[in-house]
Amino acid sequence: MTAGDMTPRRPSGPDRDLRVADTDREAVAERLRDAMGEGRLSLEELEERLETAFAAKTFGDLEPLVADLPEAAQAAGWPDPLVLDAGSGSLRQTGYWVVPATIVATTGMGNIKVDFTGAECRRRQVTVEVTVGMGNMVVVVPRGWEVRTSEVSTGLGHVVNRATDRPEAGAPVLRFTGRVRMGNLKVRYPSRFELARARRAGH
């Protein structure tokens, strides 16, 4: 089973510098209006934030407008948590896909591969909640990302993080939590083949 084989062009540049569309501005405006109706914003605050929202050019412009409101990620156009449950089979999240703030990955005796090489990541931090039984999970991250696996506990299993180069300033932070019982969690950089495939998908 393969998820995320769409091939639209992947935006370039730092995460916060991604250009927003009119639908993104309107989504934030709608959340701001709801917030005023909920009593979270005054009319003056609403008008001020709406003015900024409709003048926004990037996600970095929109983010502060909803950062102190519930469901800020959804309001700014970020997707819901991604749930990957492989059971005893195989599951691959590859190609072009939009990275949510949270990924929940569970496998009993199966295998999961999550490849961020061709993905669009608008988040500064992404949390991956793992539950690995006797299976295996492989995560491929672009060079420059920061990977944290210290919050993953193990039984007889293993956690191997080979993505240990110095992270780039402003790059996403991939934070793993959860448990690996008897299987394996491996984080690595993309191979030449995976890089070439990501380039083809981006053009």
Side-chain angles (χ1 to χ4, degrees):
M1 179 177 179
T2 300
D5 282 334
M6 300 176 290
T7 57
R9 184 175 179 84
R10 179 174 181 251
S12 60
D15 299 336
R16 288 173 55 84
D17 290 341
L18 290 171
R19 303 284 293 195
V20 295
D22 287 340
T23 53
D24 299 313
R25 298 184 186 93
E26 186 52 46
V28 170
E30 182 178 347
R31 180 66 191 103
L32 292 173
R33 295 187 190 103
D34 290 343
M36 190 194 73
E38 296 161 0
R40 302 181 191 277
L41 295 175
S42 67
L43 178 59
E44 182 179 353
E45 289 174 318
L46 173 65
E47 291 175 346
E48 181 180 339
R49 295 195 188 194
L50 284 177
E51 182 178 353
T52 303
F54 287 119
K57 297 184 182 301
T58 68
F59 279 94
D61 297 328
L62 287 178
E63 191 176 23
L65 302 178
V66 293
D68 58 349
L69 301 176
E71 300 177 358
Q74 288 83 349
W78 289 296
D80 293 332
L82 172 64
V83 178
L84 303 173
D85 190 349
S88 58
S90 295
L91 182 60
R92 295 164 61 87
Q93 181 74 26
T94 63
Y96 174 87
W97 54 291
V98 179
V99 181
T102 304
I103 299 171
V104 181
T106 304
T107 178
M109 299 178 64
N111 301 293
I112 295 177
K113 180 178 181 180
V114 180
D115 189 347
F116 291 90
T117 309
E120 176 183 333
C121 186
R122 305 169 182 170
R123 305 295 300 179
R124 180 65 182 86
Q125 177 171 290
V126 178
T127 300
V128 184
E129 302 173 5
V130 302
T131 303
V132 179
M134 298 176 64
N136 298 284
M137 182 173 179
V138 175
V139 180
V140 183
V141 300
R143 290 188 179 275
W145 285 31
E146 180 178 350
V147 176
R148 301 175 183 173
T149 59
S150 59
E151 295 179 67
V152 179
S153 62
T154 60
L156 298 175
H158 301 277
V159 176
V160 179
N161 177 22
R162 294 182 177 171
T164 57
D165 289 357
R166 181 186 295 274
E168 296 177 358
V173 176
L174 199 60
R175 170 177 166 261
F176 288 86
T177 65
R179 181 170 176 78
V180 177
R181 293 184 173 88
M182 299 179 66
N184 300 286
L185 168 63
K186 180 180 179 181
V187 186
R188 61 173 175 81
Y189 294 124
S191 65
R192 291 184 180 180
F193 173 80
E194 289 162 333
L195 285 171
R197 182 180 179 183
R199 289 193 205 99
R200 288 195 299 270
H203 290 81

